[in-house]
Coordinates of all heavy atoms in Angstrom, one line a residue:
M178 N 17.1 -16.6 9.8 CA 16.2 -17.6 9.5 C 16.7 -18.3 8.2 O 17.2 -17.8 7.3 CB 14.8 -16.9 9.2 CG 13.7 -17.9 9.1 SD 12.1 -17.2 8.9 CE 12.1 -15.6 9.7
S179 N 16.4 -19.6 8.3 CA 16.9 -20.5 7.2 C 16.1 -20.4 5.9 O 14.9 -20.0 6.0 CB 17.0 -21.9 7.6 OG 15.7 -22.5 7.7
K180 N 16.7 -20.7 4.8 CA 16.0 -20.7 3.5 C 14.8 -21.7 3.6 O 13.8 -21.4 3.0 CB 16.9 -21.0 2.4 CG 17.8 -19.9 2.0 CD 18.6 -20.2 0.8 CE 19.6 -19.0 0.5 NZ 20.3 -19.2 -0.7
R181 N 15.0 -22.8 4.2 CA 13.9 -23.8 4.3 C 12.7 -23.3 5.1 O 11.6 -23.5 4.7 CB 14.4 -25.1 5.0 CG 15.3 -25.9 4.1 CD 15.7 -27.2 4.8 NE 16.6 -27.9 3.9 CZ 17.4 -28.8 4.3 NH1 17.4 -29.2 5.6 NH2 18.2 -29.4 3.5
R182 N 13.0 -22.6 6.1 CA 11.9 -22.0 6.9 C 11.2 -20.9 6.2 O 10.0 -20.8 6.2 CB 12.5 -21.5 8.3 CG 11.4 -21.2 9.3 CD 12.0 -20.9 10.6 NE 12.2 -22.2 11.3 CZ 12.0 -22.5 12.6 NH1 11.5 -21.5 13.3 NH2 12.1 -23.6 13.1
N183 N 12.0 -20.1 5.5 CA 11.4 -19.0 4.6 C 10.5 -19.6 3.5 O 9.4 -19.2 3.3 CB 12.4 -18.1 4.0 CG 13.0 -17.1 5.0 OD1 12.4 -16.8 6.0 ND2 14.2 -16.7 4.7
T184 N 11.0 -20.7 2.9 CA 10.3 -21.4 1.9 C 9.0 -21.9 2.4 O 7.9 -21.8 1.8 CB 11.1 -22.5 1.3 OG1 12.3 -22.0 0.7 CG2 10.4 -23.3 0.2
L185 N 9.0 -22.5 3.6 CA 7.8 -23.1 4.2 C 6.8 -22.0 4.6 O 5.6 -22.1 4.3 CB 8.2 -23.8 5.5 CG 7.0 -24.4 6.4 CD1 6.3 -25.4 5.6 CD2 7.5 -24.9 7.7
I186 N 7.3 -20.9 5.1 CA 6.4 -19.7 5.4 C 5.7 -19.2 4.2 O 4.5 -19.0 4.2 CB 7.2 -18.6 6.1 CG1 7.6 -19.0 7.5 CG2 6.4 -17.3 6.2 CD1 8.6 -18.1 8.2
V187 N 6.4 -19.0 3.1 CA 5.8 -18.5 1.9 C 4.8 -19.5 1.3 O 3.7 -19.2 0.9 CB 6.9 -18.1 0.8 CG1 6.3 -17.8 -0.5 CG2 7.7 -16.9 1.3
W188 N 5.2 -20.8 1.3 CA 4.3 -21.8 0.7 C 3.0 -21.9 1.5 O 1.9 -22.0 1.0 CB 5.0 -23.1 0.6 CG 4.2 -24.2 -0.1 CD1 3.9 -24.3 -1.4 CD2 3.3 -25.1 0.6 NE1 3.1 -25.3 -1.6 CE2 2.7 -25.8 -0.4 CE3 3.1 -25.5 1.9 CZ2 1.8 -26.9 -0.1 CZ3 2.2 -26.5 2.2 CH2 1.6 -27.2 1.2
V189 N 3.2 -22.0 2.9 CA 2.0 -22.1 3.7 C 1.1 -20.9 3.6 O -0.1 -21.0 3.7 CB 2.4 -22.2 5.2 CG1 1.3 -22.0 6.2 CG2 3.1 -23.6 5.4
A190 N 1.7 -19.7 3.3 CA 0.8 -18.5 3.1 C 0.2 -18.4 1.7 O -0.9 -18.1 1.5 CB 1.7 -17.3 3.3
I191 N 1.0 -18.8 0.6 CA 0.5 -18.5 -0.7 C -0.5 -19.6 -1.2 O -1.4 -19.3 -1.9 CB 1.7 -18.4 -1.7 CG1 1.3 -17.7 -3.0 CG2 2.4 -19.7 -2.0 CD1 0.9 -16.3 -3.0
Y192 N -0.2 -20.8 -0.9 CA -1.1 -21.9 -1.5 C -2.6 -21.7 -1.1 O -3.4 -21.7 -2.0 CB -0.6 -23.3 -1.1 CG -1.5 -24.4 -1.6 CD1 -1.4 -24.7 -3.0 CD2 -2.4 -25.0 -0.8 CE1 -2.2 -25.7 -3.5 CE2 -3.2 -26.0 -1.4 CZ -3.1 -26.3 -2.7 OH -3.9 -27.3 -3.2
P193 N -2.9 -21.6 0.2 CA -4.3 -21.4 0.5 C -4.9 -20.0 0.0 O -6.0 -19.9 -0.4 CB -4.4 -21.4 2.0 CG -3.0 -21.6 2.5 CD -2.1 -21.7 1.4
A194 N -4.0 -19.0 -0.1 CA -4.5 -17.7 -0.5 C -4.8 -17.8 -2.0 O -5.9 -17.3 -2.4 CB -3.4 -16.7 -0.3
I195 N -4.0 -18.4 -2.8 CA -4.3 -18.6 -4.3 C -5.6 -19.4 -4.4 O -6.4 -19.1 -5.3 CB -3.1 -19.2 -5.0 CG1 -1.9 -18.3 -5.1 CG2 -3.5 -19.7 -6.4 CD1 -0.7 -18.9 -5.6
T196 N -5.6 -20.5 -3.7 CA -6.8 -21.4 -3.8 C -8.1 -20.7 -3.5 O -9.1 -20.7 -4.2 CB -6.6 -22.6 -2.9 OG1 -5.4 -23.3 -3.3 CG2 -7.7 -23.6 -3.1
L197 N -8.1 -20.0 -2.4 CA -9.3 -19.3 -1.9 C -9.7 -18.1 -2.9 O -10.8 -18.0 -3.2 CB -9.1 -18.7 -0.5 CG -10.2 -17.9 0.1 CD1 -11.5 -18.8 0.2 CD2 -9.8 -17.3 1.4
L198 N -8.7 -17.4 -3.3 CA -9.0 -16.3 -4.2 C -9.5 -16.8 -5.5 O -10.4 -16.2 -6.1 CB -7.8 -15.4 -4.4 CG -8.0 -14.0 -5.1 CD1 -9.0 -13.2 -4.4 CD2 -6.7 -13.3 -5.2
S199 N -8.9 -17.8 -6.0 CA -9.4 -18.4 -7.3 C -10.8 -18.9 -7.2 O -11.6 -18.8 -8.1 CB -8.4 -19.6 -7.7 OG -7.2 -19.1 -8.0
Y200 N -11.1 -19.5 -6.0 CA -12.4 -20.0 -5.8 C -13.4 -18.9 -5.7 O -14.5 -19.0 -6.3 CB -12.5 -20.8 -4.5 CG -13.8 -21.3 -4.1 CD1 -14.4 -22.4 -4.7 CD2 -14.5 -20.7 -3.1 CE1 -15.7 -22.8 -4.4 CE2 -15.8 -21.1 -2.7 CZ -16.4 -22.2 -3.4 OH -17.6 -22.6 -3.0
L201 N -13.1 -17.8 -5.0 CA -14.0 -16.7 -4.8 C -14.2 -15.9 -6.0 O -15.4 -15.4 -6.3 CB -13.5 -15.8 -3.7 CG -13.5 -16.4 -2.3 CD1 -12.8 -15.4 -1.3 CD2 -14.9 -16.8 -1.8
I202 N -13.2 -15.6 -6.8 CA -13.4 -14.7 -8.0 C -13.1 -15.3 -9.3 O -13.2 -14.7 -10.3 CB -12.6 -13.4 -7.8 CG1 -11.1 -13.6 -7.9 CG2 -12.9 -12.6 -6.6 CD1 -10.2 -12.4 -8.0
G203 N -12.7 -16.6 -9.3 CA -12.4 -17.3 -10.5 C -13.4 -17.2 -11.6 O -13.1 -16.9 -12.8
N204 N -14.7 -17.5 -11.3 CA -15.7 -17.5 -12.3 C -16.0 -16.1 -12.8 O -16.4 -15.9 -13.9 CB -17.0 -18.1 -11.7 CG -16.9 -19.6 -11.5 OD1 -16.1 -20.2 -12.2 ND2 -17.7 -20.1 -10.6
D205 N -15.8 -15.1 -12.0 CA -16.1 -13.7 -12.3 C -15.0 -13.1 -13.3 O -15.3 -12.2 -14.1 CB -16.1 -12.8 -11.1 CG -17.3 -13.1 -10.2 OD1 -18.3 -13.6 -10.7 OD2 -17.2 -13.0 -9.0
I206 N -13.8 -13.6 -13.2 CA -12.7 -13.1 -14.1 C -12.3 -14.1 -15.2 O -11.4 -13.9 -16.0 CB -11.5 -12.7 -13.3 CG1 -10.9 -13.9 -12.6 CG2 -11.9 -11.6 -12.3 CD1 -9.5 -13.5 -11.9
N207 N -13.0 -15.3 -15.2 CA -12.6 -16.3 -16.2 C -12.7 -15.9 -17.6 O -12.0 -16.4 -18.5 CB -13.4 -17.6 -15.9 CG -12.8 -18.8 -16.5 OD1 -11.6 -18.9 -16.6 ND2 -13.6 -19.8 -16.8
H208 N -13.6 -14.9 -17.9 CA -13.8 -14.5 -19.3 C -12.7 -13.5 -19.8 O -12.5 -13.3 -21.0 CB -15.1 -13.8 -19.5 CG -15.2 -12.5 -18.7 ND1 -15.4 -12.5 -17.3 CD2 -15.1 -11.2 -19.1 CE1 -15.4 -11.2 -16.9 NE2 -15.2 -10.4 -18.0
L209 N -11.8 -13.1 -18.8 CA -10.8 -12.1 -19.2 C -9.6 -12.9 -19.7 O -9.3 -14.0 -19.4 CB -10.4 -11.3 -17.9 CG -11.5 -10.5 -17.3 CD1 -11.0 -9.9 -16.0 CD2 -11.9 -9.4 -18.2
P210 N -8.7 -12.2 -20.5 CA -7.5 -12.8 -20.9 C -6.6 -13.2 -19.7 O -6.7 -12.6 -18.7 CB -6.8 -11.7 -21.8 CG -7.9 -10.8 -22.1 CD -8.9 -10.8 -21.0
I211 N -5.8 -14.2 -19.9 CA -4.9 -14.7 -18.9 C -4.1 -13.7 -18.2 O -3.9 -13.6 -17.0 CB -4.1 -16.0 -19.3 CG1 -3.4 -16.6 -18.1 CG2 -3.1 -15.6 -20.4 CD1 -4.3 -17.3 -17.2
Y212 N -3.5 -12.8 -19.0 CA -2.6 -11.7 -18.5 C -3.4 -10.8 -17.6 O -2.9 -10.2 -16.6 CB -1.8 -11.0 -19.6 CG -2.7 -10.3 -20.6 CD1 -3.1 -8.9 -20.4 CD2 -3.1 -10.9 -21.7 CE1 -3.9 -8.3 -21.3 CE2 -3.9 -10.2 -22.7 CZ -4.3 -8.9 -22.4 OH -5.0 -8.2 -23.3
V213 N -4.7 -10.5 -17.9 CA -5.5 -9.7 -17.0 C -5.9 -10.4 -15.7 O -5.8 -9.8 -14.6 CB -6.8 -9.2 -17.8 CG1 -7.7 -8.4 -16.8 CG2 -6.4 -8.4 -19.0
R214 N -6.2 -11.7 -15.8 CA -6.5 -12.5 -14.6 C -5.3 -12.5 -13.7 O -5.4 -12.4 -12.5 CB -6.9 -13.9 -15.0 CG -8.3 -14.0 -15.6 CD -8.7 -15.4 -15.9 NE -8.1 -15.7 -17.2 CZ -8.1 -16.9 -17.8 NH1 -8.5 -18.0 -17.1 NH2 -7.6 -17.1 -19.0
T215 N -4.1 -12.8 -14.3 CA -2.9 -12.8 -13.5 C -2.7 -11.5 -12.8 O -2.3 -11.4 -11.7 CB -1.7 -13.2 -14.4 OG1 -2.0 -14.5 -15.0 CG2 -0.5 -13.4 -13.6
L216 N -2.9 -10.4 -13.6 CA -2.7 -9.0 -13.0 C -3.6 -8.8 -11.8 O -3.2 -8.3 -10.8 CB -2.9 -8.0 -14.1 CG -2.8 -6.5 -13.6 CD1 -1.3 -6.2 -13.3 CD2 -3.2 -5.6 -14.8
I217 N -4.9 -9.2 -11.9 CA -5.8 -9.1 -10.8 C -5.4 -9.9 -9.6 O -5.4 -9.4 -8.5 CB -7.2 -9.4 -11.3 CG1 -7.7 -8.4 -12.4 CG2 -8.2 -9.5 -10.2 CD1 -9.0 -8.8 -13.1
L218 N -5.1 -11.2 -9.9 CA -4.8 -12.1 -8.8 C -3.5 -11.6 -8.1 O -3.5 -11.6 -6.8 CB -4.6 -13.5 -9.3 CG -5.9 -14.2 -9.7 CD1 -5.5 -15.6 -10.3 CD2 -6.8 -14.4 -8.6
T219 N -2.5 -11.2 -8.8 CA -1.2 -10.8 -8.2 C -1.4 -9.4 -7.5 O -0.8 -9.1 -6.5 CB -0.1 -10.8 -9.2 OG1 -0.4 -9.9 -10.3 CG2 0.3 -12.2 -9.6
G220 N -2.3 -8.6 -8.1 CA -2.5 -7.3 -7.5 C -3.2 -7.4 -6.1 O -3.0 -6.5 -5.3
I221 N -3.9 -8.5 -5.9 CA -4.5 -8.7 -4.6 C -3.6 -9.5 -3.7 O -3.4 -9.2 -2.5 CB -5.9 -9.5 -4.8 CG1 -6.9 -8.6 -5.5 CG2 -6.4 -9.9 -3.4 CD1 -8.1 -9.3 -6.0
L222 N -3.0 -10.5 -4.3 CA -2.2 -11.5 -3.4 C -0.8 -10.9 -3.0 O -0.4 -11.2 -1.8 CB -2.0 -12.8 -4.2 CG -3.2 -13.7 -4.2 CD1 -3.0 -14.8 -5.1 CD2 -3.6 -14.1 -2.9
V223 N -0.1 -10.2 -3.8 CA 1.2 -9.7 -3.4 C 1.1 -8.8 -2.1 O 1.8 -9.0 -1.2 CB 2.0 -9.1 -4.5 CG1 3.2 -8.4 -4.1 CG2 2.3 -10.1 -5.6
P224 N 0.2 -7.8 -2.2 CA 0.1 -7.0 -0.9 C -0.4 -7.8 0.3 O 0.1 -7.6 1.4 CB -0.9 -5.9 -1.3 CG -0.8 -5.8 -2.8 CD -0.5 -7.2 -3.3
A225 N -1.3 -8.7 0.0 CA -1.8 -9.5 1.1 C -0.7 -10.3 1.7 O -0.6 -10.5 3.0 CB -3.0 -10.4 0.7
M226 N 0.1 -10.9 0.9 CA 1.3 -11.7 1.3 C 2.3 -10.9 2.1 O 2.7 -11.3 3.2 CB 2.0 -12.3 0.1 CG 1.2 -13.4 -0.6 SD 1.1 -14.9 0.3 CE 2.8 -15.4 0.3
I227 N 2.6 -9.7 1.6 CA 3.7 -8.9 2.2 C 3.2 -8.3 3.6 O 4.0 -8.3 4.5 CB 4.1 -7.8 1.3 CG1 4.7 -8.3 0.0 CG2 5.1 -6.8 2.0 CD1 6.0 -9.2 0.2
Y228 N 2.0 -7.8 3.6 CA 1.5 -7.1 4.8 C 0.8 -7.9 5.8 O 0.8 -7.6 7.0 CB 0.7 -5.9 4.4 CG 1.4 -4.8 3.7 CD1 1.3 -4.7 2.3 CD2 2.3 -4.0 4.3 CE1 2.0 -3.7 1.6 CE2 3.1 -3.1 3.7 CZ 2.9 -2.9 2.3 OH 3.6 -1.9 1.7
F229 N 0.2 -9.1 5.4 CA -0.6 -9.8 6.3 C -0.2 -11.3 6.5 O 0.1 -11.8 7.6 CB -2.1 -9.8 6.0 CG -2.6 -8.4 5.9 CD1 -2.9 -7.8 4.6 CD2 -2.7 -7.6 7.0 CE1 -3.3 -6.5 4.5 CE2 -3.2 -6.3 6.9 CZ -3.5 -5.7 5.7
L230 N -0.1 -12.0 5.4 CA 0.0 -13.5 5.4 C 1.4 -13.9 5.8 O 1.5 -14.8 6.7 CB -0.4 -14.1 4.1 CG -1.9 -13.9 3.7 CD1 -2.1 -14.4 2.3 CD2 -2.8 -14.5 4.7
I231 N 2.4 -13.4 5.2 CA 3.8 -13.8 5.6 C 4.1 -13.4 7.1 O 4.6 -14.3 7.8 CB 4.8 -13.3 4.6 CG1 4.7 -14.0 3.3 CG2 6.3 -13.5 5.2 CD1 5.6 -13.5 2.2
P232 N 3.8 -12.2 7.5 CA 4.1 -11.9 8.9 C 3.3 -12.8 9.9 O 3.8 -13.2 10.9 CB 3.6 -10.4 9.1 CG 3.8 -9.9 7.7 CD 3.4 -11.0 6.8
F233 N 2.0 -13.1 9.5 CA 1.2 -13.9 10.4 C 1.8 -15.3 10.5 O 2.0 -15.8 11.6 CB -0.2 -14.0 9.8 CG -1.1 -15.0 10.5 CD1 -1.6 -14.8 11.8 CD2 -1.4 -16.3 9.9 CE1 -2.4 -15.7 12.4 CE2 -2.1 -17.2 10.5 CZ -2.7 -16.9 11.8
W234 N 2.1 -16.0 9.4 CA 2.6 -17.3 9.4 C 4.0 -17.3 9.9 O 4.4 -18.3 10.6 CB 2.6 -18.0 8.0 CG 1.2 -18.4 7.7 CD1 0.3 -17.8 6.8 CD2 0.4 -19.4 8.3 NE1 -0.9 -18.5 6.8 CE2 -0.9 -19.4 7.7 CE3 0.7 -20.3 9.3 CZ2 -1.8 -20.3 8.1 CZ3 -0.3 -21.2 9.7 CH2 -1.5 -21.2 9.1
A235 N 4.8 -16.3 9.7 CA 6.2 -16.2 10.3 C 6.1 -16.2 11.8 O 6.9 -16.9 12.4 CB 6.9 -15.0 9.7
S236 N 5.2 -15.5 12.3 CA 5.1 -15.4 13.8 C 4.7 -16.8 14.4 O 5.2 -17.2 15.5 CB 4.1 -14.4 14.2 OG 2.8 -14.7 13.9
I237 N 3.9 -17.5 13.7 CA 3.5 -18.9 14.1 C 4.7 -19.9 14.0 O 5.0 -20.6 14.9 CB 2.3 -19.4 13.4 CG1 1.1 -18.5 13.9 CG2 2.0 -20.8 13.6 CD1 -0.2 -18.8 13.1
I238 N 5.2 -19.9 12.8 CA 6.3 -20.9 12.5 C 7.6 -20.6 13.3 O 8.3 -21.5 13.7 CB 6.5 -21.0 11.0 CG1 5.3 -21.6 10.3 CG2 7.8 -21.7 10.6 CD1 5.3 -21.6 8.8
N239 N 7.9 -19.3 13.5 CA 9.1 -19.0 14.3 C 9.0 -19.4 15.7 O 10.0 -19.4 16.4 CB 9.4 -17.5 14.1 CG 10.0 -17.2 12.8 OD1 10.5 -18.0 12.1 ND2 9.8 -16.0 12.3
K240 N 7.8 -19.7 16.2 CA 7.7 -20.2 17.6 C 8.1 -21.7 17.7 O 8.3 -22.2 18.8 CB 6.2 -20.1 18.1 CG 5.8 -18.6 18.3 CD 4.4 -18.5 18.7 CE 4.0 -17.0 18.8 NZ 2.5 -16.9 19.1
I241 N 8.2 -22.4 16.6 CA 8.6 -23.7 16.6 C 10.1 -23.8 16.7 O 10.8 -23.1 15.9 CB 8.2 -24.4 15.2 CG1 6.7 -24.4 15.1 CG2 8.7 -25.9 15.2 CD1 6.2 -24.8 13.7
P242 N 10.7 -24.5 17.6 CA 12.1 -24.6 17.8 C 12.8 -25.2 16.6 O 12.3 -26.2 16.0 CB 12.4 -25.4 19.0 CG 11.0 -25.7 19.6 CD 10.0 -25.3 18.6
S243 N 13.9 -24.6 16.1 CA 14.6 -25.1 15.0 C 15.7 -26.1 15.4 O 16.3 -26.0 16.5 CB 15.2 -24.0 14.1 OG 16.2 -23.3 14.9
K244 N 15.9 -27.1 14.6 CA 17.0 -28.1 14.8 C 18.3 -27.5 14.2 O 18.3 -27.2 13.1 CB 16.7 -29.4 14.2 CG 15.4 -30.1 14.8 CD 15.2 -31.4 14.1 CE 13.9 -32.0 14.6 NZ 13.5 -33.2 13.9
Q245 N 19.3 -27.5 15.0 CA 20.6 -27.0 14.5 C 21.7 -27.9 14.8 O 21.8 -28.6 15.7 CB 20.9 -25.6 15.0 CG 19.9 -24.6 14.4 CD 20.3 -23.2 14.8 OE1 21.3 -22.9 15.4 NE2 19.5 -22.2 14.3

């Protein structure tokens, strides 16, 4: 798989996930220091990305024929 395709898969997975998670829990953790907020967000997002989001989007994007 090409680097461009991998980049697209990660971006398509991470952008909406960060936006949604920030929307859902942003106000609840806003009073915490930035390093704690980052720890919470990455603690949720990294496993979600590895186990669910990247495989899901990869299966969809890999169905698209590549130009070579």
Side-chain angles (χ1 to χ4, degrees):
M178 191 176 329
S179 74
K180 286 186 181 184
R181 286 184 184 161
R182 196 169 273 223
N183 283 339
T184 302
L185 176 64
I186 290 167
V187 171
W188 184 80
V189 166
I191 195 71
Y192 180 77
I195 290 172
T196 304
L197 180 62
L198 191 59
S199 295
Y200 176 77
L201 293 176
I202 68 170
N204 289 335
D205 297 329
I206 65 172
N207 201 28
H208 66 283
L209 299 170
I211 187 72
Y212 61 89
V213 176
R214 284 182 277 172
T215 304
L216 180 66
I217 292 168
L218 290 174
T219 57
I221 295 168
L222 286 172
V223 169
M226 290 287 293
I227 298 299
Y228 292 106
F229 304 109
L230 297 173
I231 290 176
F233 171 76
W234 285 110
S236 69
I237 291 173
I238 291 174
N239 286 334
K240 291 178 184 175
I241 300 169
S243 63
K244 297 178 182 178
Q245 292 186 2

